[in-house]
Amino acid sequence: MSSLSVMGAFALVALSGGASHAETSFSSSTMPASELSAVATAFASGAGISQANEQVYLDLFFRSNYGYCDARKVAQVWNTGILEAKAVIGGKIAGGLTHLIDADIASTGGSAPCSWDDLGLEYDHAVALAQQWGRSPWDAKAKAATMATEMGHKRFFESMGFVFDGMGGGAAGQTERYQQLFFRSDYGYCDALKVAQVWGTDVGGAKAVIGQKISDGITDLVDVDIRSTAGTVSCDWSETELSLDDAYALARFWGVPVGEAKQKAAGYTSQWGNREFLRRLGSVLGRG
C-alpha cells in the first residue's frame, strides 16, 4: 500500500541565533497509509487523542508546515495547553481535516498574539524582510510578528516564504538535523530555556545545541548545563510539556488538587529540567 508523505518546509534557525519555538522541518516522514488511516479513524470517531496515538499526532505536527504560533492559536480555541494543541493539529492532519485547523487559526486573528521568536527566524531573515518591505530589521520583526498574530505560522510562510528562498540552506539544513534530534529526544522546552541561558543564545539555538550534543554522544554536558541553572531559570506548566492526564496522575500520586500538582510539576521542572523530571517521575506517568 502506498505511503503518505507529510512535508515540512521552514526550519530556519541557525546555531548562531534563532527563535524559541522553531518546530518545523525540511525533512519528510512517511507513514504507512494503513497506520495513518487507523489513527485518523480514531480521531474522527470521537476517540480523541489517546496515549497510543498522541506521539503519532505530535510527529505529524512537527513535520508539517504548522508551527508554534499555530499551536498557540489552536490552544486558545480548544482551551487546552500548547502540547495538546500540537497533537490536535496532528490529529486533524491525519484525518485530512486541516481546513478545520485553518479555520480555528483564522478565528483567533489578533486575539492570540505571536512574537518574532515564535516564527523560528533569525536576524538574517529580518534583514531580508526589511529589504523586501523597505524598513529597518527591527520594524520588519515587528511587522512579521503582527502578520503571524493575524494569520498564524503556516499562512505567514505561505505568504512570505519566497523572501527566504536560497538563504543559507546548508547551514539551516544542518541546524534542522540537530533540532530534529532534540525533538525526538526526551529533552524539552524547559531544558532548552536552561541551555539558552548557559550558552547566551535563544531557545531555538539552544535546541540545536542540545541536538548537536545528542549527535556527538555527549549529553552529559547538556545535563551539567541544565543542572547549573536550577536556581536561575524558572519554567511554567506549559513548559513542562506535560499533559492534563499527567497532571491528574501527579495529583493522585502527591495527594493534592490538580492545580497544585501543576504548580509542583513546574517547580520541579524548573529545578531539574524536562528530561530529569521524566527520569524521576516517569513511572508515575506510565513512561518508565
Side-chain angles (χ1 to χ4, degrees):
M1 186 171 284
S2 63
S3 294
L4 179 64
S5 180
V6 183
M7 298 296 296
F10 302 108
L12 299 166
V13 179
L15 280 170
S16 58
S20 53
H21 304 298
E23 294 174 329
T24 52
S25 171
F26 280 121
S27 61
S28 65
S29 176
T30 58
M31 179 183 298
S34 57
E35 181 180 352
L36 186 63
S37 175
V39 296
T41 299
F43 194 91
S45 69
I49 301 173
S50 67
Q51 287 186 333
N53 291 338
E54 184 178 39
Q55 190 54 53
V56 174
Y57 294 151
L58 288 173
D59 198 50
L60 286 173
F61 169 83
F62 286 125
R63 285 164 175 76
S64 75
N65 293 342
Y66 293 98
Y68 186 87
C69 180
D70 298 320
R72 184 193 294 278
K73 291 174 173 294
V74 171
Q76 176 173 295
V77 173
W78 285 62
N79 192 29
T80 189
I82 298 292
L83 184 68
E84 289 88 346
K86 293 174 183 176
V88 166
I89 293 173
K92 296 296 188 186
I93 293 170
L97 302 171
T98 56
H99 62 288
L100 299 181
I101 290 297
D102 295 339
D104 286 343
I105 292 167
S107 73
T108 66
S111 65
C114 297
S115 69
W116 168 260
D117 285 345
D118 292 338
L119 286 170
L121 297 174
E122 55 187 299
Y123 183 75
D124 286 349
H125 301 103
V127 171
L129 289 170
Q131 292 171 345
Q132 176 70 23
W133 290 329
R135 58 182 64 197
S136 71
W138 179 263
D139 288 339
K141 286 184 177 182
K143 180 174 179 177
T146 298
M147 290 178 66
T149 295
E150 288 297 320
M151 62 179 60
H153 177 107
K154 178 172 175 279
R155 282 200 59 207
F156 174 84
F157 279 100
E158 287 173 349
S159 300
M160 301 306 304
F162 72 93
V163 177
F164 311 128
D165 288 347
M167 287 184 57
Q174 178 75 302
T175 298
E176 174 59 16
R177 284 189 288 276
Y178 289 144
Q179 286 196 323
Q180 287 304 308
L181 286 175
F182 168 84
F183 287 127
R184 295 187 186 104
S185 75
D186 49 5
Y187 289 102
Y189 188 80
C190 186
D191 297 321
L193 274 179
K194 292 172 172 293
V195 171
Q197 175 171 292
V198 174
W199 282 69
T201 187
D202 54 34
V203 177
K207 291 175 181 177
V209 168
I210 294 173
Q212 184 178 32
K213 295 293 187 290
I214 293 171
S215 177
D216 293 341
I218 48 176
T219 56
D220 56 311
L221 299 183
V222 176
D223 296 338
V224 169
D225 288 343
I226 292 169
R227 286 196 297 270
S228 73
T229 65
T232 58
V233 175
S234 297
C235 300
D236 61 28
W237 166 255
S238 68
E239 291 160 346
T240 67
E241 301 194 359
L242 299 174
S243 68
L244 183 59
D245 286 343
D246 293 332
Y248 279 112
L250 291 169
R252 290 191 295 269
F253 177 71
W254 286 324
V256 299
V258 172
E260 186 176 340
K262 288 183 174 182
Q263 292 177 347
K264 284 172 67 72
Y268 283 133
T269 304
S270 295
Q271 290 293 117
W272 304 333
N274 306 93
R275 185 178 192 237
E276 181 64 12
F277 183 94
L278 290 178
R279 189 188 71 80
R280 297 190 186 204
L281 291 168
S283 60
V284 175
L285 308 177
R287 303 184 197 176

